[in-house]
Amino acid sequence: MDIFINAITSMSWWMWILIILVIIAMRDIIQRRHTISHNFPIVGHFRYMLEKIGPELRQYLVANNREELPFNRIERGWVYASSKNENNYEGFGTDRDIYAHQHIFINNAMMPYQIDENHPNSIDHCFLPCAKVIGAFHKRKKPYRPASVINVSAMSFGSLSAKAVESMNKGVKMAHAYHNTGEGGLSPYHRNGGDVIFHFGTGYFGVRANDGGFSMEKLINLVEENPFIRAIEVKLSQGAKPGKGGVLPGAKITPEIAEIRGVEVGKDVLSPPNHKAFSNVPDMVDFIEKIAEATGLPVGIKAAIGKLEQWEELADIMVATGKGPDFITVDGGEGGTGAAPPSFADHVSLPWVYGFGDLYKLFKNKGLSERIVFIGSGKLGFPAKAAMAFAMGADVINVAREAMMSIGCIQAQVCHTNKCPSGVATQSKWLQNGIDPTLKSVRLAQYFKTFRKEFIEITHAAGYEHPCQFTMDDIEVNVDDHNLSKELSSTYQYHKTKVPFTSMQDLKNCMHLGGNY
């Protein structure tokens, strides 16, 4: 025994390494699970290591500034700098290919719009509320004018960490914006002072009956107990996976999540593709009206756009009855906070510009565009893209991934693994401990304020006081090589309805203005 111990203690460090490598090689040869490791012992592991860190290598070393998707380095850098109130300018001109397909041009006026010293934007450089009041046409008991044209899109607690949701809610309070709950229910982390849009889908989380259906009683109680809920949004579909249901695994359902969502601890929960509360368009309209009557709040719907037949049916019912949603949130097929199979994420539903253009044109032709507040959602969290969206008829935009980046998301693209390194999209206590809500809330608020400030400056450069005044002829996009750019009106074959607007001061004086003004 002493001889054996002496032999081990006398071995050099390199001999230990050699023994370990031999053991690994033997294990590689014996196993049959990984062909590469079996055929190339030890060396094969480097292939898996490189594959694992490939996205990081491309992100930081290989891809150029404009090459990455879904958000390139320039776009992420602008959000990061804006959220930290740092210099977000570019020097020496743009490095973007301005002749590329779908490049956006904003037609500036010879003389920019001039504001005086008493103008709301002289006092507050980022004051930019919605030009429409949600619920005004249908005379809802509690109409709502969003105090910010940029707001946090539907992302639920459970998908995002507690500290991420808390940071966003505190941030929207500072920025006078609203926070959409996502379909995971109203959590304690949504109760930090910001305006809230309560959102639910086919799982009815937070307003779920014992049979898995919708409970009006729970919704009424929720609204009465939480007066900061300013509107209700019913999700029909989302950009990442329209028409696809989902399963919340029992392993992810903690006692806290179970209480918030109204489900059982440790038991799988199905979110079906279809709603139980309605099965056709007339029933959906009746459902919307019942909620609006019971709660007094404006009610809207969210969907990704594909076929238009049922949307036309909805429009016809609205024309005939005067009933229907107060707002419609159009999600683009490029939406991505919800994990989805590539077949859905890549191919099902239209990109935002195509889907929104088709839908807006349909409602405009029916004479309905003035009574609906249109909300755009789909990589619109940049002033130039927002200008295009407003020119096409959007009244408000929601941002999801841009909001995540403002509080620290690094686009690691592992949201669905519960291993988000920035602590934003994970339930790991260790990983989310890296988020300081006191700091991150300020950063989200600063991103929103910087966005609105630049959006206002672009609006003034085009000769307008408010972005609602943008027309389809104010924006051009590159469409082909023969006629290098066309106005949006020529590209999408419609003109948006003129939005009634008097002045920014009148918006500031509105009794229905949200936020903390």
Side-chain angles (χ1 to χ4, degrees), residues 105-361:
F105 300 96
I106 300 168
N107 291 325
N108 60 294
M110 176 185 276
M111 303 291 179
Y113 181 83
Q114 188 171 0
I115 60 176
D116 58 39
E117 61 182 10
N118 296 317
H119 190 276
N121 289 135
S122 293
I123 301 167
D124 181 352
H125 297 302
C126 55
F127 176 73
L128 190 56
C130 177
K132 291 180 180 176
V133 176
I134 303 176
F137 179 86
H138 293 119
K139 296 181 173 59
R140 305 301 188 200
K141 297 173 186 174
K142 303 173 186 176
Y144 174 55
R145 185 193 297 275
S148 171
V149 297
I150 180 172
N151 303 278
V152 174
S153 191
M155 296 181 287
S156 61
F157 167 61
S159 297
L160 299 189
S161 68
K163 291 194 174 182
V165 175
E166 180 184 346
S167 299
M168 289 183 181
N169 194 260
K170 289 180 176 178
V172 299
K173 179 183 179 182
M174 298 176 196
H176 308 290
Y178 67 68
H179 187 181
N180 191 306
T181 63
E183 61 182 312
L186 184 74
S187 73
Y189 314 105
H190 291 102
R191 296 177 166 97
N192 287 285
D195 286 353
V196 164
I197 305 296
F198 181 73
H199 169 111
F200 64 85
T202 57
Y204 305 113
F205 299 130
V207 289
R208 184 181 174 95
N210 293 333
D211 64 354
F214 172 75
S215 170
M216 182 68 79
E217 182 182 357
K218 286 188 177 181
L219 179 62
I220 293 171
N221 290 337
L222 190 75
V223 170
E224 289 179 349
E225 292 170 4
N226 301 282
F228 52 82
I229 297 177
R230 308 302 300 268
I232 308 293
E233 183 175 78
V234 182
K235 190 190 86 169
L236 305 180
S237 61
Q238 67 185 81
K241 48 182 178 181
K244 178 175 171 58
V247 176
L248 181 63
K252 289 188 175 181
I253 302 178
T254 64
E256 182 182 36
I257 290 176
E259 182 180 356
I260 293 167
R261 297 197 177 199
V263 297
E264 294 182 39
V265 177
K267 186 176 179 181
D268 291 353
V269 178
L270 174 67
S271 291
N274 301 93
H275 276 269
K276 285 186 177 181
F278 54 87
S279 59
N280 54 51
V281 178
D283 287 350
M284 182 185 74
V285 173
D286 290 341
F287 181 65
I288 289 170
E289 291 298 323
K290 288 176 182 176
I291 291 176
E293 180 63 28
T295 65
L297 296 176
V299 182
I301 55 178
K302 174 185 177 177
I305 309 301
K307 294 181 179 181
L308 295 177
E309 291 87 349
Q310 290 172 319
W311 288 103
E312 187 159 10
E313 183 183 359
L314 171 61
D316 289 339
I317 291 172
M318 292 176 69
V319 170
T321 66
K323 300 176 180 179
D326 298 291
F327 64 95
I328 298 176
T329 301
V330 177
D331 205 9
E334 61 271 59
T337 56
S343 54
F344 270 81
D346 295 346
H347 301 289
V348 183
S349 85
L350 294 171
W352 189 84
V353 288
Y354 302 151
F356 184 86
D358 288 349
L359 188 74
Y360 185 90
K361 183 162 48 176

